[in-house]
Amino acid sequence: MPKAYSYIRMSTPEQITGDSLRRQIAAADAYARRKGLEIEQRFDDIGISGFRGKNAQIGALKNFLEQVESGKIAQGSYLIVESIDRLSRDKVSNALALLTSIIHAGIVVVALSENKEFSTKNIDDDSFSLMYALLSMVRAHDESRRKSSMLGAAWSEKRSEARKIGKPLTKLAPAWLKMKSDRSGYEIIHDRAEIVRRIFDEILAGRGAGSIAKDLTMNGPKPWGRSKVWNESYIKKIADSFAVFGDYQPHVYKEDDQGNLKRVPDGEPIVGYYPAILDKETFLRAKIAMRQRRISGRGRKGVAFRNPLTGLMKCRCGSGIQFIDKGKLPKGGTYLRCSQAVRKGDCTCPAFKFDVVLQVVIGCVKQLDVRRFLNNHESHVQSEEIANKLQALRSERQLSKEKAQRLTDAIADGASDMPSIVINTIREQERRVIAIDAEIKALEVAQNDLITDGYEQRKSNVQHLFDQLSIDSDDEDQARLRMQINSELRSILKFIRIEPDLGLLPDGVPSLHTKLDGIPWEKLDSKYRNLEDHLHFKFRIAYRNGVVDQVEPLAGTIQSLEFSRKQEDLILKNSMNHR
């Protein structure tokens, strides 16, 4: 006996509360009883539009088509739909192709409203039946297109009013805001706004979205919405939201070359649409911190965040360096070792004492001669690029201001019936000036980092934080301090490549490591009986402006390297031998 399958589609979930779902189920069941069929399975697409054929691409209808193609649904089976437009409201050519593909696979399509059965036999016997289906498809698509056009025009008018007079588009708002009782705008939910500010503070302190989400779940308020926990994706969504500093970016859906809808920005953001809970500078700084973290600082850090060098260390083989905690001294201790070597891979690099490496690295950063940065070729190139961008932006800013002023003067000269397009052009130019100001500010921050004052300030920050550091403490404040140190180091350094130093000093010749300034050797000497046993490593510190230092703690030397375009390698520039 042939089997029957029911397909139900509703464009919006709200239709479930109406009569549409009950009506479609009842009609399919009645047809099956009349034919002596039993409905084997129902395929329901709730909240999926058939206007652009999404139900056949991602919905339950796709599942049905796949089962037909695989043979799980046999030829001669029935597919019952309320009407042809439930199957598709796509372009007529696409809708017709969908219907004929199902029919040619041996399935009988039943359209109850049209009181038609479509199969290869019926179409051959009655050629007008396919014409009837075609007319139904034309009507359905035209109706959907008209509704889409009307809805698009209504939203376009709403967006226009939002730009002109700040009228709210919708009651929906970010979770830390709500609509005012008179619907004139939005107001701040202060306890939630405090949580958002806390999230940005944590990002600027060097924490990742996953760590922040976990902490809020354990120690913070209940999440907003249906979720029982704070999710990493939601923390990132908040961190990316222009709404925190008051802007709103309208979007529209546009069809690409393949006929797929893409959500794209509609014009410039609307400045001041929401009440701001943060300043834009804090938002931009957080974006930069998250971008740096994506490049070099991701991964599990542990509850106490023990390693301030996380994301910076590399082995000579190119692999990352893993932090290893073997428990308390004297038998245990903390170490850094190549992840390949830990997994018994090709690398044979030994483990290095974590606290010794950390003291040497931060000591080198603290004694860095920032004046060397000014004479670096890469810094000059970067500085020149930034200067050119700033000049172009300032010129564009001046042109936008002049254009807006000319139009404003024209209105003042008596053109009282000035077309709305002119008014909108003025506003567009004013918004562009605001956007350019933000770009200029970000570039000026980057430019400052390439000159002495910027790096001196970062050096000072590292020194201040490091002076407060207790390496062995698991205290929460110390963990937060280590995150801040990590964030500051990543703003100065690209990476640190470490490898063994197999050279030995002649018998009777004392180590010169104590001549390296800025490193608290006395702390390390008091901890280890023979510190030289743990100093057989050397590393290269690559700074973000292109300066590279090669450090050999046992020999007491720091060598400054630079990139040679001729030799395509790092070569020795000068040596600061502290013998």
Side-chain angles (χ1 to χ4, degrees):
M1 177 184 293
K3 295 181 179 179
Y5 298 85
S6 166
Y7 176 67
I8 293 172
R9 184 187 60 77
M10 291 182 289
S11 299
T12 61
E14 290 76 10
Q15 287 177 286
I16 295 177
T17 59
D19 193 49
S20 180
L21 180 61
R22 183 207 61 78
R23 186 186 67 246
Q24 292 186 61
I25 291 175
D29 288 345
Y31 176 85
R33 283 195 300 270
R34 289 197 306 271
K35 286 287 187 176
L37 302 172
E38 183 176 345
I39 294 181
E40 183 76 10
Q41 184 179 352
R42 297 186 190 277
F43 294 88
D44 297 342
D45 274 328
I46 308 300
I48 297 181
S49 172
F51 180 33
R52 290 183 172 84
K54 286 295 183 185
N55 55 330
Q57 299 171 22
I58 61 173
L61 183 58
K62 179 187 178 184
N63 185 16
F64 172 82
L65 296 173
E66 288 173 346
Q67 292 191 41
V68 171
E69 185 178 358
S70 67
K72 188 174 180 180
I73 294 178
Q75 293 186 12
S77 298
Y78 287 75
L79 176 64
I80 307 171
V81 296
E82 184 184 42
S83 61
I84 288 295
D85 70 339
R86 295 296 177 184
L87 197 63
S88 178
R89 299 178 74 94
D90 201 355
K91 295 175 183 176
V92 175
S93 58
N94 294 337
L96 184 60
L98 174 65
L99 176 62
T100 55
S101 69
I102 297 173
I103 294 170
H104 287 150
I107 306 299
V108 180
V109 177
V110 180
L112 299 176
S113 295
E114 289 87 350
N115 194 26
K116 294 284 185 181
E117 291 184 2
F118 298 97
S119 65
T120 52
K121 184 178 184 304
N122 291 349
I123 291 174
D124 291 339
D125 293 344
D126 180 9
S127 57
F128 284 102
S129 63
L130 194 58
M131 183 65 70
Y132 192 92
L134 189 62
L135 292 173
S136 296
M137 292 171 184
V138 171
R139 176 194 55 77
H141 181 70
D142 285 350
E143 182 182 346
S144 289
R145 186 171 57 184
R146 182 180 60 83
K147 288 180 179 178
S148 177
S149 178
M150 291 173 61
L151 186 61
W155 276 103
S156 179
E157 180 63 26
K158 285 185 177 182
R159 288 192 295 272
S160 177
E161 289 184 347
R163 290 190 183 281
K164 291 178 182 176
I165 60 175
K167 183 178 179 180
L169 282 162
T170 173
K171 186 178 179 180
L172 294 177
W176 57 90
L177 301 174
K178 63 180 180 180
M179 178 73 79
K180 290 180 179 179
S181 56
D182 60 2
R183 302 183 68 85
S184 62
Y186 304 93
E187 59 185 355
I188 298 172
I189 305 173
H190 291 286
D191 56 339
R192 292 187 174 186
E194 281 302 312
I195 297 298
V196 175
R197 296 186 190 104
R198 172 180 165 182
I199 288 170
F200 275 86
D201 287 342
E202 299 284 6
I203 291 170
L204 291 172
R207 298 188 74 179
S211 175
I212 295 171
K214 184 177 180 181
D215 182 48
L216 284 173
T217 298
M218 295 175 64
N219 306 311
K222 291 183 178 180
W224 312 322
R226 293 188 294 269
S227 178
K228 294 182 179 180
V229 297
W230 288 87
N231 293 303
E232 178 179 353
S233 59
Y234 189 58
I235 300 299
K236 291 179 179 179
K237 183 178 179 181
I238 290 174
D240 283 335
S241 175
F242 288 4
V244 296
F245 58 87
D247 284 10
Y248 169 66
Q249 176 61 70
H251 287 80
V252 294
Y253 285 93
K254 291 189 177 179
E255 197 171 301
D256 62 16
D257 295 337
Q258 286 74 42
N260 298 315
L261 284 181
K262 299 290 184 182
R263 188 170 181 263
V264 296
D266 179 37
E268 296 292 331
I270 302 175
V271 178
Y273 179 81
Y274 295 119
I277 61 172
L278 278 180
D279 60 86
K280 192 169 185 177
E281 183 178 357
T282 300
F283 173 83
L284 292 173
R285 285 171 52 218
K287 292 283 285 184
I288 293 171
M290 292 190 76
R291 188 181 303 117
Q292 289 178 344
R293 185 177 179 82
R294 281 196 296 271
I295 295 171
S296 61
R298 298 182 67 175
R300 294 187 62 185
K301 312 298 185 300
V303 176
F305 193 89
R306 297 291 304 280
N307 180 15
L309 301 178
T310 294
L312 287 169
M313 301 291 295
K314 294 181 181 294
C315 178
R316 63 183 177 187
C317 72
S319 301
I321 294 290
Q322 188 170 328
F323 177 81
I324 301 171
D325 189 347
K326 293 188 175 182
K328 294 184 178 180
L329 292 172
K331 293 185 178 181
T334 51
Y335 299 85
L336 297 174
R337 195 176 186 196
C338 172
S339 58
Q340 279 285 346
V342 171
R343 295 193 294 268
K344 308 300 181 184
D346 296 334
C347 186
T348 58
C349 196
F352 307 106
K353 278 286 187 181
F354 162 68
D355 48 355
V356 177
V357 175
L358 178 63
Q359 296 277 16
V360 175
V361 169
I362 299 190
C364 289
V365 173
K366 286 166 61 177
Q367 66 172 308
L368 177 67
D369 182 4
V370 179
R371 288 172 298 179
R372 290 192 295 121
F373 282 47
L374 298 176
N375 299 317
N376 180 265
H377 173 73
E378 188 172 334
S379 292
H380 282 304
V381 172
Q382 293 179 16
S383 182
E384 188 174 340
E385 288 177 353
I386 291 175
N388 290 337
K389 288 180 182 177
L390 283 171
Q391 183 177 0
L393 284 170
R394 285 166 179 152
S395 297
E396 184 183 351
R397 183 183 188 279
Q398 184 63 30
L399 288 173
S400 292
K401 287 192 70 175
E402 289 175 357
K403 185 174 183 179
Q405 188 60 51
R406 285 197 300 271
L407 292 171
T408 303
D409 291 343
I411 295 174
D413 287 341
S416 57
D417 58 344
M418 188 66 65
S420 61
I421 189 172
V422 176
I423 307 296
N424 290 338
T425 301
I426 294 173
R427 291 196 174 98
E428 287 292 334
Q429 297 305 317
E430 290 172 343
R431 284 193 290 270
R432 183 57 188 148
V433 168
I434 293 172
I436 290 173
D437 284 341
E439 290 183 64
I440 288 174
K441 191 167 189 177
L443 283 173
E444 286 175 342
V445 170
Q447 188 180 53
N448 187 55
D449 281 349
L450 292 174
I451 61 176
T452 306
D453 291 345
Y455 274 93
E456 283 287 7
Q457 182 58 52
R458 294 185 187 280
K459 269 185 58 181
S460 176
N461 291 345
V462 171
Q463 184 162 358
H464 174 70
L465 294 170
F466 191 56
D467 289 342
Q468 305 172 55
L469 180 64
S470 173
I471 293 177
D472 298 323
S473 173
D474 288 339
D475 180 79
E476 185 177 339
D477 290 338
Q478 282 292 316
R480 194 179 300 273
L481 181 64
R482 284 190 280 267
M483 289 180 191
Q484 289 180 272
I485 291 175
N486 181 257
S487 180
E488 289 292 340
L489 286 176
R490 284 190 285 110
S491 71
I492 298 174
L493 311 181
K494 285 184 180 178
F495 63 85
I496 304 165
R497 195 184 74 181
I498 191 168
E499 60 182 295
D501 183 359
L502 302 179
L504 299 175
L505 294 174
D507 291 339
V509 177
S511 168
L512 297 175
H513 67 261
T514 53
K515 300 298 183 181
L516 286 176
D517 299 331
I519 303 171
W521 300 108
E522 65 282 354
K523 291 184 180 180
L524 293 170
D525 276 321
S526 64
K527 194 170 186 179
Y528 301 105
R529 291 182 180 178
N530 190 358
L531 181 58
E532 279 72 20
D533 291 344
H534 304 293
L535 283 172
H536 287 280
F537 62 82
K538 57 186 177 182
F539 53 82
R540 285 180 178 177
I541 304 181
Y543 296 90
R544 288 199 170 274
N545 75 325
V547 171
V548 178
D549 283 340
Q550 179 156 302
V551 184
E552 299 178 11
L554 191 64
T557 61
I558 300 178
Q559 296 174 330
S560 178
L561 307 176
E562 68 176 9
F563 184 78
S564 169
R565 297 185 181 276
K566 185 176 181 180
Q567 300 182 31
E568 295 187 349
D569 197 5
L570 286 165
I571 61 172
L572 178 65
K573 182 178 181 182
N574 59 63
S575 176
M576 293 173 283
N577 193 320
H578 292 266
R579 288 177 183 263

